[in-house]
Amino acid sequence: MIKPIIEEEEFSGINFTQEPLRKGEYEGCVFTNCDFSNLHLSNFDFVECEFEDCNLSNVKVSNTSFKHVKFKNCKLLGVNFGECNPFLFSVSFDDCFLHLAGFYQLKMKGTKFKNCNLKEADFTETDLSSAIFDNCEFVSAVFERTILEKADLRTSQNFSIDPELNRVKKARFSLNNVRGLLDKYNIEIEN
C-alpha cells in the first residue's frame, strides 16, 4: 500500500487521540499545540517537520522516520526513539520534556538539545559525537558504551558518565559539572 504524501500543511490545536492522524508521509508540515499522547505513530514518515507545544507522551514510533524534525516545547515522556527507522534519523529538541526517552543505538551526531529535561533517558550505545547539550538536566540518565566524543555538556547538570565505559575524547565539560565524571569513585569534591 502506498502512503499518501501530505506536504506543507499546518495542524493546530488538534487532539489526535480523538481524531487520528492519517497514516502517511508528512513533508514540511507544522504541528502546533496538538495531542498525540499514547498513539501508535508506527510506520509514519516525518520529513522536515516541526512539532511545537505538542504532547507526544508514550507514542509508539516503531519504524517511524524522523528526518530533519524539530521538536520545540514538546512533552515526549517515554518515547522510545530507538525503535525508529534509523535511516537518515535527524532531530533537534528545544525546551522539551524527555523523561524516560530511549535513544538506544541511534546515530545522533551533532544533535542539538537545548533546555531539555532528560531525566532517566537512555543513551546506551548511542552515537552522540559532537552533540550539543545546552542547559540540559540528566538526573538518572543512562550512559553506557555511549560515544560522546566532541560533545558539549558544559552548561548541563546532574549527569553521571563513566569515562571508562563511554567514549568522551575531546568532549567539553565545565568545572561546575565535572563531578558527574567521577561519581563511581564516591569521592567528595569541594569548591
Side-chain angles (χ1 to χ4, degrees):
M1 184 175 167
I2 298 174
K3 293 183 199 174
I5 298 174
I6 298 92
E7 296 180 294
E8 300 188 21
E9 282 194 35
E10 293 192 21
F11 302 86
S12 183
I14 300 172
N15 183 344
F16 288 112
T17 64
Q18 296 174 351
E19 181 184 329
L21 182 65
R22 198 168 105 215
K23 190 168 284 213
E25 182 175 322
Y26 292 81
E27 294 185 13
C29 294
V30 177
F31 299 88
T32 307
N33 197 27
C34 294
D35 187 359
F36 297 88
S37 57
N38 299 304
L39 289 181
H40 282 270
L41 295 179
S42 299
N43 298 304
F44 278 71
D45 294 312
F46 297 99
V47 181
E48 296 181 4
C49 291
E50 294 182 26
F51 292 84
E52 187 166 347
D53 298 313
C54 291
N55 182 358
L56 293 113
S57 292
N58 297 310
V59 296
K60 306 296 181 253
V61 290
S62 179
N63 204 37
T64 300
S65 293
F66 289 107
K67 300 172 182 172
H68 304 289
V69 173
K70 296 178 182 177
F71 295 95
K72 184 171 184 182
N73 200 35
C74 290
K75 186 176 178 183
L76 297 137
L77 173 75
V79 177
N80 188 356
F81 290 97
E83 295 180 344
C84 289
N85 181 344
F87 183 68
L88 299 176
F89 180 82
S90 175
V91 292
S92 66
F93 301 97
D94 190 351
D95 289 303
C96 290
F97 183 84
L98 289 148
H99 280 207
L100 298 165
F103 299 96
Y104 180 69
Q105 289 188 333
L106 282 173
K107 292 188 182 344
M108 300 180 70
K109 294 180 180 183
T111 299
K112 293 181 177 143
F113 294 83
K114 182 177 181 182
N115 299 322
C116 292
N117 191 323
L118 291 146
K119 182 179 181 180
E120 297 182 69
D122 185 358
F123 293 102
T124 301
E125 296 181 19
T126 306
D127 185 349
L128 292 164
S129 303
S130 301
I132 298 170
F133 294 97
D134 184 7
N135 194 37
C136 293
E137 176 72 37
F138 288 102
V139 171
S140 300
V142 178
F143 292 92
E144 288 184 20
R145 298 176 304 284
T146 306
I147 302 171
L148 289 158
E149 294 176 351
K150 297 182 182 176
D152 188 346
L153 291 107
R154 291 176 294 169
T155 58
S156 292
Q157 56 274 341
N158 296 318
F159 54 80
S160 180
I161 299 170
D162 184 344
E164 294 175 24
L165 296 177
N166 299 283
R167 291 171 42 190
V168 295
K169 186 174 183 179
K170 302 228 179 206
R172 301 174 78 186
F173 300 93
S174 70
L175 204 50
N176 292 337
N177 68 15
V178 77
R179 72 174 25 129
L181 298 171
L182 304 170
D183 282 345
K184 80 174 201 172
Y185 299 111
N186 198 21
I187 59 176
E188 293 186 29
I189 300 169
E190 296 178 16
N191 291 334

